[in-house]
């Protein structure tokens, strides 16, 4: 583990927002244990039954609006400022569609699976901020077409910002994954890409994941405890 890393690449997943009351996907009782992702999170499902898909995301969006960042989100934002003040960087790449990193004060958060508080027009592609419910009849604020969808990445679609993410991964000197099961690619492959480049890797998770063996080091426990402790240790 680099003792004084200057360029941290941090990947976060649903586990970091679990203590804020937002559900994870693959834990017992998780979102994909209760709902079928093929009926709710694919372009085909949306084409077949837009109301059901929009209802699912409306419910989740209400949850995000009502949630608040926890100590893990705050510790990351603080570490980002501290590192930036000494010429370093904490690049924050999240699989989460919530805005809790931003509300904790994090800068330049890269949402590879999109953002629930944004909607995209399938006619003109304009992206609009969207905090309320979304229904099929809602007109696009830019072109007025009733063609809005949540600006999230569905199964079968390409995650966002991949070129920038891979460039930042190559330029980092420490890779840290927080609260992610490592089940969904390409994010799940970043730990191996980092190791192939000789970059030290660490997992911060509630419990060992199926890909735990891919990491050089791991700390287990709730993110609100492990993340502040780990960041205090490695970047003061
Ligand atoms: P998962 O639900 O697959 O994994 C969440 C991980 O967080 C698990 O390993 C949990 O053990 C861990 N965890 C739970 N509570 C925690 C806590 N308090 N502190 C630390 N860790 C905790 O979620 P993701 O890996 O984020 O994609 O899922 C990846 C993608 O799969 C999501 O972005 C979503 C989903 O399908 C799309 O919808 C495209």
């Amino acid at each position: 583990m680099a003792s004084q890393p200057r360029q941290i690449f941090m990947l976060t997943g649903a586990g970091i927002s679990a203590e804020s009351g937002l559900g994870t996907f693959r834990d017992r009782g998780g979102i994909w244990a209760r709902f079928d992702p093929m009926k709710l999170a694919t372009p085909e499902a949306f084409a077949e039954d837009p109301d059901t898909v929009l209802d699912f995301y409306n419910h989740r969006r209400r949850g995000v609006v009502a949630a608040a960042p926890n100590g893990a989100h705050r510790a990351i934002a603080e570490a980002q400022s501290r590192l930036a003040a000494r010429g370093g960087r904490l690049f924050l790449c999240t699989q989460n569609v919530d805005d809790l990193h931003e509300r904790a004060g994090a800068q330049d958060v890269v949402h590879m699976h999109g953002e629930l508080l944004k909607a995209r027009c399938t006619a003109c592609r304009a992206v609009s901020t969207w905090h309320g419910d979304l229904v099929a009849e809602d007109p696009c604020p830019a072109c007025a077409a009733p063609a809005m969808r949540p600006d999230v990445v569905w199964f079968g679609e390409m995650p966002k910002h991949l070129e920038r993410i891979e460039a930042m991964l190559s330029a980092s000197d420490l890779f840290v994954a927080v609260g992610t099961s490592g089940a969904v690619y390409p994010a799940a492959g970043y730990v191996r890409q980092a190791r192939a480049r000789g970059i030290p890797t660490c997992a911060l998770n509630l419990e060992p994941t199926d890909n735990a063996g891919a990491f050089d080091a791991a700390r287990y426990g709730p993110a609100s405890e492990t993340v502040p402790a780990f960041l205090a240790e490695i970047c003061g």
Side-chain angles (χ1 to χ4, degrees), residues 12-16 18-19 23-27 32 37 41 57 60 95-97 113 153-155 178-184 204-209 221-224 226:
T12 65
I16 199 165
E19 292 165 82
T24 55
F25 294 94
R26 293 172 185 80
D27 293 296
W32 296 152
Y57 285 96
R60 289 185 56 200
Q95 297 165 89
N96 297 346
V97 294
H113 291 165
V153 174
W154 285 327
F155 290 99
V178 183
T180 175
S181 64
V184 173
L204 305 179
N205 213 66
L206 193 56
E207 55 200 7
T209 55
S224 65
T226 56

Side-chain angles (χ1 to χ4, degrees), residues 28 52 67 80 82 94 103 117 136 149 151 153 156 199 202 208 214:
R28 196 176 307 133
T52 298
Q80 239 186 0
R82 280 201 304 278
T94 188
R103 281 198 268 147
L117 301 186
R149 57 163 278 182
D151 193 25
V153 174
I199 300 163
C202 184

Side-chain angles (χ1 to χ4, degrees), residues 123-197:
C124 77
R125 305 166 80 95
V127 173
S128 305
T129 300
W130 211 280
H131 285 241
D133 284 356
L134 179 60
V135 295
E137 297 74 28
D138 277 324
C140 169
C143 75
M148 303 299 285
R149 57 163 278 182
D151 193 25
V152 299
V153 174
W154 285 327
F155 290 99
E157 295 183 324
M158 187 66 98
K160 297 170 183 266
H161 314 296
L162 293 184
E163 269 186 33
R164 181 164 179 229
I165 291 169
E166 303 220 350
M168 297 308 270
L169 181 60
S170 301
S172 64
D173 57 16
L174 175 64
F175 174 85
V176 186
V178 183
T180 175
S181 64
V184 173
Y185 283 81
Y190 292 159
V191 59
R192 288 188 180 81
Q193 288 184 38
R195 285 190 71 170
R197 294 189 175 100

